[in-house]
């Protein structure tokens, strides 16, 4: 399978592409001797594409050099998944974001919060291999501690502030609010979740799984709650209503998918000093508090959130406002986005953040090799996405305590908050 994927890449990545990358990445003229390619990691390293590491061998006179790259392609051997990714604009969104980042110039910052992309198209992303530059990932099933969370929150706040400043200037030129979103609405906006066939079936399958997890493993939630699966499904749809631009709030581009594999860290004397955000395929245009809450629910424990949430909220808002220009700062009151407004939005965003965690934990917390075997099979892909993924998830949950407990924890919290004690 891996050999076939690598062979497919060699037929897609053209000599012109390689020359373009070398021209942008290298400091002077080099002769390209060739390149090596391998799958980026064991198993499913990312869901919305196939991932590879490339080493380009260069020569200039008596000198040789290696250029290390990370590349992401549309799935090469899973046609249903490739069609699904194309239909819902995942690569188009990331392509749009890298164009935006180039216009803003964020990759040139002293401590960039996103990587450069040497090539970005609607089917291909090629960027530097940041592992060569000292960036590291965290194990897929670990929760982040306060130091790691703090550096991610700073990067996330700077991301949101950069866009807010960019669009505010753009709005003045175009004489309208939300001008970037309106110009790119065909890429950034999905059909409402209750209308789009795939998103509706995805949510129903996620609610079914949460119900089955509670039935199989919970000692906290009563098993005889009337119509529990139907109530979960209804609330999953309701939560998605906030994943839209708000007329009464500041809106920015949000990442929406900050799970552990989409963050890389760099360290100084053993402590995290920088965090780079990766994979902008799921971006939306919405209030920024949604992104912060999604990140917290995807990467931290319930105990961590109980102990540190307010501290994290304050840190985010402080960094966010520090990186705003005077134009945006003067409009925060008009946007209803003062500090306490932001705190209220965080609480409002909690429901969707929990739904996001319940929907993607089955994939992201599973061991990468088993996730690939389970969820990257063209013969079963559609059924597991659209109908019911309970069987493989419950089977692995019986074997892996961390997998079981992190999913169960958020499902139980959701039921306690929104069904047993509705706000």
């Amino acid at each position: 399978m891996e050999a076939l994927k690598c062979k497919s890449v060699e037929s897609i990545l053209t000599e012109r592409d390689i020359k373009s990358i070398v021209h942008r990445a290298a400091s002077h003229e080099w002769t390209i001797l060739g390149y090596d390619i391998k799958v980026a990691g064991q198993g499913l390293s990312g869901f919305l594409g196939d991932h590879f590491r490339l080493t380009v061998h260069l020569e200039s006179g008596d000198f040789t050099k290696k250029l290390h790259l990370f590349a992401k392609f549309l799935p090469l051997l899973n046609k249903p998944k490739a069609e699904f990714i194309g239909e819902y604009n995942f690569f188009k969104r990331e392509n749009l974001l890298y164009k935006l980042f180039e216009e803003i110039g964020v990759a040139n910052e002293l401590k960039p919060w996103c990587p450069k992309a040497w090539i970005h198209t609607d089917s291909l992303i090629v960027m530097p291999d940041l592992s060569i530059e000292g960036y590291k990932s965290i194990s897929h099933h670990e929760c982040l501690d306060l130091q790691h969370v703090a550096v991610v929150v700073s990067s996330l706040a700077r991301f949101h502030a950069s866009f807010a400043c960019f669009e505010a200037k753009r709005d003045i030129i175009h004489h309208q609010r939300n001008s970037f979103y309106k110009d790119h609405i065909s890429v950034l906006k999905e059909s409402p979740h209750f209308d789009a066939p795939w998103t509706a079936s995805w949510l129903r399958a996620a609610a079914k799984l949460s119900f089955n997890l509670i039935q199989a493993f919970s000692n906290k939630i009563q098993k005889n709650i009337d119509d529990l699966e139907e109530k979960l499904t209804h609330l999953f749809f309701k939560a998605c209503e906030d994943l839209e631009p708000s007329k009464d709030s500041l809106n920015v581009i949000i990442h929406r998918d900050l799970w552990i594999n989409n963050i890389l860290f760099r360290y100084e004397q053993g402590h995290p000093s920088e965090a780079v955000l990766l994979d902008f395929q799921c971006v939306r245009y919405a209030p920024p508090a949604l992104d912060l809450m999604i990140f917290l629910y995807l990467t931290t424990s319930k105990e961590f959130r109980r102990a540190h949430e307010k501290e994290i909220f304050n840190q985010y808002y402080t960094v966010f406002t520090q990186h705003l220009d005077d134009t945006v700062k003067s409009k925060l009151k008009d946007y209803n986005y003062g500090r306490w407004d932001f705190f209220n939005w965080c609480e409002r965003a909690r429901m969707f953040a929990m739904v996001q965690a319940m929907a993607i934990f089955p994939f992201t917390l599973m061991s990468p090799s088993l996730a690939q075997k389970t969820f990257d099979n063209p013969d079963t892909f559609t059924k597991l996405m659209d109908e019911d993924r309970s069987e493989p998830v419950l089977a692995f949950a019986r074997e892996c305590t961390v997998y079981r407990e992190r999913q169960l924890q958020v499902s139980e919290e959701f039921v306690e908050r929104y069904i047993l004690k509705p706000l």
Side-chain angles (χ1 to χ4, degrees):
M1 176 72 75
E2 292 185 1
L4 285 174
K5 286 185 177 181
C6 291
K7 189 174 180 63
S8 298
V9 169
E10 292 172 356
S11 68
I12 295 172
L13 197 62
T14 66
E15 182 180 352
R16 182 179 179 182
D17 291 330
I18 297 294
K19 286 182 177 179
S20 174
I21 293 168
V22 171
H23 176 72
R24 295 189 63 188
S27 57
H28 61 277
E29 293 299 320
W30 294 88
T31 300
I32 300 170
L33 302 177
Y35 69 90
D36 306 321
I37 184 165
K38 62 181 180 179
V39 175
Q42 295 297 315
L44 199 63
S45 56
F47 187 70
L48 295 174
D50 288 341
H51 302 77
F52 301 87
R53 283 190 163 89
L54 287 77
T55 303
V56 183
H57 301 275
L58 305 173
E59 180 182 65
S60 180
D62 295 331
F63 296 96
T64 60
K65 178 179 178 177
K66 294 180 181 179
L67 182 62
H68 299 276
L69 305 170
F70 185 92
K72 176 166 56 179
F73 295 80
L74 275 172
L76 302 171
L77 304 180
N78 188 334
K79 186 178 179 181
K81 181 190 264 191
E83 291 174 346
F84 154 71
I85 290 171
E87 182 178 357
Y88 288 91
N89 291 331
F90 291 112
F91 268 78
K92 286 184 178 180
R93 291 181 205 178
E94 191 158 28
N95 184 18
L96 174 63
L97 262 289
Y98 277 113
K99 290 178 182 177
L100 170 66
F101 295 160
E102 288 176 358
E103 189 170 352
I104 296 176
V106 295
N108 298 320
E109 294 185 14
L110 183 61
K111 291 187 176 182
W113 44 260
C114 69
K116 300 175 182 176
W118 301 128
I119 291 181
H120 47 88
T121 72
D122 291 347
S123 61
L124 167 67
I125 307 290
V126 181
M127 62 187 67
D129 184 349
L130 295 181
S131 66
I132 303 299
E133 300 178 23
Y135 288 91
K136 300 178 181 179
S137 60
I138 301 293
S139 175
H140 71 281
H141 59 71
E142 286 188 32
C143 291
L144 297 182
D145 61 21
L146 185 57
Q147 285 189 328
H148 285 85
V149 167
V151 294
V152 178
V153 167
S154 291
S155 291
L156 186 62
R158 290 165 59 209
F159 165 36
H160 293 159
S162 293
F163 178 81
C165 295
F166 166 79
E167 191 175 48
K169 294 174 183 176
R170 199 177 189 275
D171 287 353
I172 293 172
I173 295 171
H174 291 267
H175 305 291
Q176 63 172 333
R177 188 176 172 183
N178 306 335
S179 60
F180 182 85
Y181 172 68
K182 290 174 181 176
D183 283 352
H184 300 285
I185 191 169
S186 62
V187 174
L188 292 171
K189 183 177 176 62
E190 296 172 1
S191 299
H193 285 267
F194 43 82
D195 286 341
W198 176 81
T199 45
S201 59
W202 166 270
L203 287 171
R204 291 191 184 95
K208 178 186 287 291
L209 175 57
S210 293
F211 170 77
N212 287 332
L213 281 164
I214 288 171
Q215 295 298 308
F217 302 116
S218 180
N219 295 319
K220 295 182 179 179
I221 305 299
Q222 295 179 3
K223 307 299 175 67
N224 59 349
I225 299 175
D226 290 342
D227 302 321
L228 179 57
E229 184 178 344
E230 288 76 10
K231 289 175 180 175
L232 286 168
T233 303
H234 169 73
L235 288 171
F236 278 31
F237 282 110
K238 184 176 185 298
C240 291
E241 294 173 4
D242 282 330
L243 198 65
E244 295 289 333
S246 172
K247 295 179 181 178
D248 303 317
S249 172
L250 175 72
N251 299 288
V252 299
I253 296 293
I254 64 170
H255 186 286
R256 201 188 62 160
D257 194 29
L258 278 178
W259 64 289
I260 206 72
N261 267 30
N262 287 339
I263 308 164
L264 290 178
F265 296 94
R266 189 143 64 176
Y267 295 83
E268 293 180 4
Q269 298 180 338
H271 301 286
S273 58
E274 297 179 44
V276 168
L277 314 180
L278 305 172
D279 196 342
F280 295 87
Q281 291 179 295
C282 294
V283 295
R284 292 288 292 269
Y285 187 77
L290 279 157
D291 235 3
L292 180 60
M293 295 304 290
I294 291 168
F295 161 66
L296 289 176
Y297 270 91
L298 292 182
T299 63
T300 67
S301 67
K302 183 178 180 181
E303 291 74 21
F304 176 93
R305 294 188 293 274
R306 185 184 295 120
H308 299 293
E309 249 187 12
K310 295 300 186 291
E311 175 185 355
I312 294 300
F313 293 172
N314 270 309
Q315 182 208 342
Y316 169 91
Y317 192 81
T318 298
V319 175
F320 175 69
T321 52
Q322 285 174 344
H323 284 82
L324 296 178
D325 60 25
D326 291 339
T327 301
V328 182
K329 284 181 181 177
S330 67
K331 293 184 177 181
L332 285 178
K333 186 175 181 180
D334 296 336
Y335 290 147
N336 300 312
Y337 222 72
R339 190 176 295 267
W340 290 109
D341 299 309
F342 170 72
F343 278 26
N344 290 333
W345 256 106
C346 286
E347 188 55 51
R348 178 173 170 178
R350 188 184 303 276
M351 182 187 282
F352 179 79
M354 296 173 74
V355 169
Q356 179 82 335
M358 287 184 280
I360 74 169
F361 272 170
F363 312 95
T364 62
L365 296 179
M366 186 174 281
S367 66
S369 57
L370 183 59
Q372 182 176 51
K373 186 182 298 183
T374 305
F375 298 116
D376 203 26
N377 184 336
D379 297 330
T380 58
F381 175 80
T382 301
K383 181 179 186 300
L384 293 177
M385 293 302 102
D386 293 357
E387 299 174 23
D388 189 3
R389 58 198 72 124
S390 298
E391 183 178 348
V393 172
L394 294 179
F396 189 56
R398 293 186 180 95
E399 299 177 12
C400 179
T401 301
V402 173
Y403 187 74
R404 177 179 68 247
E405 291 305 315
R406 286 194 64 189
Q407 291 188 78
L408 186 60
Q409 186 181 72
V410 71
S411 294
E412 289 175 338
E413 183 183 350
F414 189 88
V415 172
E416 290 169 350
R417 282 182 177 272
Y418 302 114
I419 293 178
L420 299 181
K421 298 177 182 177
L423 298 178

